[in-house]
Amino acid sequence: METKLQLHGFNNLTKSLSFNIYDICYAQTEEQREAYIDYIDEMYNAERLTQILSDVVKIIGANILNIARQDYEPHGASVTMLIAEHEVTGPEANNEESPGPLPDTIVAHLDKSHVTVHTYPESHPHEGISTFRADIDVSTCGLISPLKVLNYLIHSFDSDVVTVDYRVRGFTRDVDGTKHYIDHDINSIQNYLTEDTQNAYQMIDVNVYQENLFHTKMMLKEFNLDNYVFGVNASDLDPVEAKSIEDRLKQEMLEIFYSRNMA
């Protein structure tokens, strides 16, 4: 919006940002698969996720009221936070269409909004492919916006494939009684990503502007097999085997990216 809206009462718009973040790995033996899942559980346990979410809360300009968290058996974690917007003192909320800060299964709730993340480690003996998925939702009401957490969250996880949805729901009224269905300008989710992030990922937009619904799919461009094999070095693999593993991993990424099987 070129000029700040003069609202009648509270801003009733709900801004929801949803992620699916995927990390893909090749773990051929049962021992390697178990070690990969254990590694993921340690890297993204409830304590680590609590810190990530605490940083998210700071970025969107909210205040933590209460924290509840849980590590699950055999795998996965969730965290819940109660947070409030009105107790925060700091800079005015900034919804300008520009990237947010970078970083150095969670669930959080605000008094008027909520943030959720759940983790899903997964493995299957077929083809030796293992995946880790984090589902993240940041939904806010009022002046605060979830869009500034994009860069931080993408860089907080090993993100090979990312699916992002952003939607503004409801309406709010100005002082003249006119309903407004969005309170900020947005052309694409990509505009909230830093240049290095945009360059690192292949991206596709599917936007429904009249519904204030924005959708972006992202897949990492650079492929280095050493970053995907777990428990072995790519250089130690037979070249034919290495090429076969690389093809399977790339197919897995493409299938997740396009949400369909390609066998």
Side-chain angles (χ1 to χ4, degrees):
M1 299 294 175
E2 293 184 359
T3 59
K4 185 177 179 181
L5 287 175
Q6 300 296 315
L7 299 181
H8 174 74
F10 178 72
N11 187 332
N12 287 307
L13 290 170
T14 299
K15 303 153 191 170
S16 298
L17 185 68
S18 298
F19 289 82
N20 293 124
I21 291 177
Y22 296 88
D23 173 63
I24 294 94
C25 174
Y26 178 79
Q28 185 175 29
T29 68
E30 181 64 28
E31 182 181 14
Q32 290 170 350
R33 287 190 290 272
E34 291 179 359
Y36 171 74
I37 296 299
D38 289 343
Y39 166 77
I40 288 295
D41 269 349
E42 178 65 25
M43 278 291 295
Y44 301 108
N45 59 26
E47 182 177 359
R48 168 84 191 285
L49 294 173
T50 298
Q51 183 57 57
I52 292 174
L53 188 58
S54 298
D55 292 338
V56 167
V57 171
K58 292 177 183 178
I59 291 169
I60 65 175
N63 184 56
I64 298 173
L65 300 178
N66 186 50
I67 300 175
R69 64 191 187 189
Q70 180 66 48
D71 287 304
Y72 297 113
E73 291 293 340
H75 311 297
S78 296
V79 178
T80 301
M81 290 185 182
L82 297 177
I83 66 178
E85 174 191 1
H86 61 275
E87 294 188 11
V88 173
T89 59
E92 186 175 339
N94 178 13
N95 292 335
E96 180 185 351
E97 193 176 15
S98 62
L102 292 169
D104 248 352
T105 296
I106 301 174
V107 181
H109 292 85
L110 294 75
D111 62 337
K112 301 169 185 173
S113 317
H114 69 271
V115 183
T116 69
V117 179
H118 302 284
T119 64
Y120 301 90
E122 178 267 350
S123 66
H124 194 279
H126 181 64
E127 300 290 354
I129 303 295
S130 296
T131 62
F132 165 70
R133 185 177 99 237
D135 289 352
I136 307 169
D137 292 280
V138 185
S139 184
T140 65
C141 292
L143 296 177
I144 59 178
S145 171
L147 287 164
K148 294 297 184 180
V149 304
L150 275 165
N151 287 291
Y152 177 80
L153 288 173
I154 290 170
H155 287 266
S156 292
F157 297 86
D158 290 327
S159 306
D160 293 316
V161 180
V162 184
T163 301
V164 189
D165 292 288
Y166 177 67
R167 184 178 183 182
V168 181
R169 295 174 293 161
F171 66 85
T172 193
R173 294 184 187 270
D174 63 22
V175 292
D176 297 322
T178 302
K179 293 189 289 294
H180 295 268
Y181 299 92
I182 193 167
D183 62 353
H184 64 90
D185 295 320
I186 177 172
N187 176 263
S188 170
I189 291 172
Q190 296 185 36
N191 295 336
Y192 290 87
L193 301 173
T194 55
E195 185 177 354
D196 67 317
T197 302
Q198 294 185 46
N199 291 335
Y201 287 87
Q202 172 187 339
M203 292 189 281
I204 297 175
D205 275 0
V206 182
N207 300 325
V208 185
Y209 296 102
Q210 64 269 30
E211 297 295 333
N212 295 321
L213 179 61
F214 304 86
H215 176 78
T216 299
K217 289 184 175 182
M218 307 169 56
M219 184 172 64
L220 204 60
K221 292 179 182 177
E222 183 177 339
F223 187 94
N224 183 337
L225 187 57
D226 271 319
N227 295 331
Y228 293 90
V229 290
F230 194 86
V232 297
N233 295 319
S235 59
D236 295 332
L237 298 171
D238 176 82
V240 175
E241 181 185 11
K243 181 63 168 59
S244 175
I245 293 171
E246 180 175 331
D247 290 344
R248 279 177 273 168
L249 287 164
K250 288 182 176 179
Q251 179 176 327
E252 182 81 2
M253 293 172 67
L254 284 169
E255 289 182 346
I256 295 172
F257 183 68
Y258 288 111
S259 301
R260 64 175 183 268
N261 294 328
M262 297 179 177

